[in-house]
Amino acid sequence: GMLAGLGPAAVYLVVTRIAEVSTQVANAATSFLFPAVATEGAPSRMTGNLVRAVIVVVAAMSIGLAVIGPALLGVLFGSPYDTGYTAMVILLVASIPLSYSRLISGDLKGRGRPGIVSLVSLIGVPITIVGDVLLVPVYGINGSGMHILQSLHSEEGNAFFEADAPWQLSRTCLN
């Protein structure tokens, strides 16, 4: 398949990391701001205002990264990485609904309704499996880009990353 070998995997790793930059604003808001907002009984309109503001920033970052993407890939990584541009754009587009989902999940958990978050995550499992089976073999790294953000992320962030673990690999990744 198109993902065989280290070359395409390296390209995909780089474009995934670039695309994840745009989600960091939502991660920060989810991790630090929403628990405080939600537990203090803030009105729902505050959640709406914060979600809109963060999504505008994420979208602007995604557009900016897409615009400079070809130069970024070419200058920093060389011409072999140019092949990852399409996957990077797909991931940048996907970062917007992913960020929205994280923000709403943070608000729901902060308001004491984590069951809804778990239910929605459970619904995502068959979507991820279908994405793996249908998109990756046909479209390679671009197909992977179409679904990878759903499959690699848990409610708390990247399911395979743990900052304090050896090699920063989570138990999920090592099992």
Side-chain angles (χ1 to χ4, degrees):
M2 291 185 70
L3 285 177
L6 292 178
V11 170
Y12 190 71
L13 176 67
V14 166
V15 299
T16 300
R17 295 297 179 222
I18 291 170
E20 285 178 349
V21 167
S22 66
T23 66
Q24 296 310 307
V25 175
N27 291 346
T30 300
S31 297
F32 302 108
L33 192 55
F34 265 120
V37 168
T39 55
E40 292 175 12
S44 295
R45 74 176 182 282
M46 181 178 268
T47 297
N49 291 339
L50 184 57
V51 167
R52 280 187 289 280
V54 170
I55 292 302
V56 166
V57 171
V58 170
M61 290 177 66
S62 295
I63 291 167
L65 286 169
V67 168
I68 67 168
L72 190 65
L73 291 171
V75 171
L76 295 180
F77 301 101
S79 62
Y81 286 81
D82 292 344
T83 60
Y85 180 70
T86 301
M88 186 176 87
V89 170
I90 293 168
L91 290 168
L92 287 167
V93 170
S95 71
I96 297 168
L98 174 66
S99 295
Y100 179 82
S101 171
R102 286 187 180 164
L103 292 165
I104 297 303
S105 294
D107 182 69
L108 289 171
K109 287 188 282 186
R111 293 180 191 274
R113 299 172 66 189
I116 295 172
V117 176
S118 298
L119 179 62
V120 171
S121 296
L122 182 63
I123 292 169
V125 171
I127 294 168
T128 300
I129 292 169
V130 168
D132 283 335
V133 172
L134 297 179
L135 298 175
V136 175
V138 176
Y139 298 106
I141 65 170
N142 294 335
S144 185
M146 292 176 196
H147 81 282
I148 198 70
L149 290 177
Q150 292 174 4
S151 65
L152 287 182
H153 286 80
S154 68
E155 294 171 9
E156 290 81 32
N158 189 320
F160 297 127
F161 174 78
E162 190 173 318
D164 299 330
W167 306 293
Q168 296 182 327
L169 297 174
S170 71
R171 289 184 192 143
T172 301
C173 179
L174 296 173
N175 289 333

